[in-house]
């Protein structure tokens, strides 16, 4: 997935796809599917290489039509190559600038994965207004919520969490990002607009392996950018965590939430 200023490699998206699939809240997915008609038309925002489509499409069990939207045309091409031509089309679009070019009312349901924590309050207010005006069901999954439970714990974990939160709040192309507060912000806006909203935890659970080591590197890199004056402590933390991961002595529960909303 790419969202304006945020860009993610195909390698990272491939690593996270099985983590997302295991973490998603099954009940909210069922409610989203049940809220849609037979042969639904679906819009997938910040679709990247198509992981959200690949997870959701089999759960409809019948004919469906999808539009996958992302800024990165190369990722969309990869998504398109894996999808049946009869039901999937792709559109390269910068959601930060061009959200208004999408007609939400032309779709029966709107979906997005790993998007909310990248965007600003102003963008989310606009997004919620457009969703509410169209009166369409929405499923937004795997939004980071700020929780990170390392086992075993380390003294520098609090420093890493604080630095990572600072980095999350930087502008990803949408204005200052809401980060961990984004899902709650959207829930409030949709509720005020007459939506029934449900949120459930959808935490990643990582054991030793490539994904855990990638998360360690990603967190350490973000922390160094946010707090360069603490680079030595951050490097020491990363080195210790990498060693523990390679020894099979480290696990991480990384907090995410799923959100489902439907008009009352």
């Amino acid at each position: 997935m790419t969202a304006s200023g945020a860009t993610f490699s195909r390698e990272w998206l491939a690593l996270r796809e099985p983590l997302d699939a295991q973490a998603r809240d099954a009940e909210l997915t069922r409610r989203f599917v049940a809220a849609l008609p037979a042969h639904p038309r679906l819009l997938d925002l910040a679709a990247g290489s198509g992981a959200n489509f690949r997870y959701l499409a089999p759960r409809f069990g019948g004919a469906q039509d999808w539009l996958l939207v992302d800024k990165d045309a190369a990722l969309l091409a990869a998504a398109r190559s894996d999808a049946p031509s009869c039901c999937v089309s792709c559109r390269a679009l910068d959601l930060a600038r061009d959200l208004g070019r999408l007609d939400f009312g032309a779709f029966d349901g709107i979906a997005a994965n790993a998007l909310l924590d990248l965007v600003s309050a102003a963008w989310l207010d606009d997004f919620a207004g457009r969703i509410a005006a169209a009166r369409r069901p929405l499923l937004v999954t795997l939004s980071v919520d700020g929780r990170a439970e390392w086992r075993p714990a380390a003294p520098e974990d609090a420093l890493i969490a604080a630095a990572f939160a600072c980095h999350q709040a930087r502008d990803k192309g949408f204005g200052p990002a809401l980060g961990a507060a984004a899902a709650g912000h959207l829930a409030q806006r949709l509720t005020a607009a007459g939506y029934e909203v449900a949120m459930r935890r959808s935490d990643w659970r990582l054991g030793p392996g490539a994904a855990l080591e990638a998360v360690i590197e990603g967190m350490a890199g973000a922390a160094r950018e946010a707090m360069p004056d603490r680079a030595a402590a951050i490097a020491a933390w990363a080195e210790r965590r990498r060693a523990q991961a390679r020894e099979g002595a480290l696990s991480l529960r990384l907090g995410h939430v799923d959100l489902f909303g439907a008009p009352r």
Side-chain angles (χ1 to χ4, degrees):
M1 180 270 288
T2 60
S4 193
T7 302
F8 303 102
S9 69
R10 288 183 65 179
E11 292 77 15
W12 168 242
L13 295 178
L15 276 177
R16 73 166 293 158
E17 185 168 349
L19 296 172
D20 286 352
Q22 293 167 9
R24 290 170 185 259
D25 184 82
E27 176 59 25
L28 294 190
T29 297
R30 285 193 290 269
R31 290 176 65 178
F32 180 63
V33 171
L36 300 178
H39 197 158
R41 297 161 299 169
L42 295 130
L43 174 63
D44 186 15
L45 299 173
S49 56
N52 203 30
F53 160 76
R54 284 190 291 272
Y55 180 86
L56 290 173
R59 277 129 183 105
F60 287 95
Q64 55 202 274
D65 295 302
W66 287 79
L67 175 62
L68 310 186
V69 175
D70 198 280
K71 185 182 179 184
D72 191 323
L75 288 179
L76 287 176
R80 187 70 182 80
S81 68
D82 292 338
S85 59
C86 61
C87 64
V88 174
S89 57
C90 298
R91 184 176 178 185
L93 194 71
D94 185 345
L95 294 175
R97 299 181 306 169
D98 298 322
L99 187 65
R101 294 174 60 186
L102 293 170
D103 178 9
F104 286 6
F107 302 91
D108 299 304
I110 316 297
N113 185 62
L115 171 64
L116 289 192
D117 44 271
L118 304 175
V119 307
S120 66
W123 190 92
L124 267 186
D125 291 345
D126 181 43
F127 176 67
R130 294 177 188 278
I131 291 286
R135 309 301 290 171
R136 294 296 187 263
L138 171 71
L139 180 67
V140 184
T141 48
L142 279 296
S143 301
V144 172
D145 72 357
R147 291 175 294 115
E149 300 174 14
W150 296 91
R151 293 191 179 183
E156 301 91 351
D157 289 347
L159 167 65
I160 300 301
F164 187 72
C166 288
H167 191 273
Q168 269 201 309
R170 291 183 172 185
D171 189 343
K172 309 299 192 302
F174 298 84
L178 279 175
H185 185 96
L186 178 59
Q188 291 176 354
R189 294 299 183 268
L190 289 175
T191 300
Y195 266 56
E196 179 183 356
V197 177
M199 290 174 58
R200 302 276 178 82
R201 289 185 175 183
S202 52
D203 297 350
W204 280 0
R205 298 171 186 268
L206 298 99
L212 179 57
E213 292 191 31
V215 168
I216 293 168
E217 295 303 322
M219 284 191 167
R224 283 192 298 270
E225 288 183 24
M227 296 185 179
D229 58 318
R230 303 301 304 276
I234 293 165
W237 174 88
E239 183 177 356
R240 183 181 308 115
R241 288 312 198 187
R242 283 192 296 266
Q244 291 172 326
R246 294 184 189 119
E247 293 165 1
L250 182 66
S251 66
L252 169 64
R253 179 169 179 165
L254 192 59
H256 294 80
V257 293
D258 290 357
L259 181 151
F260 167 72
R264 293 191 179 96

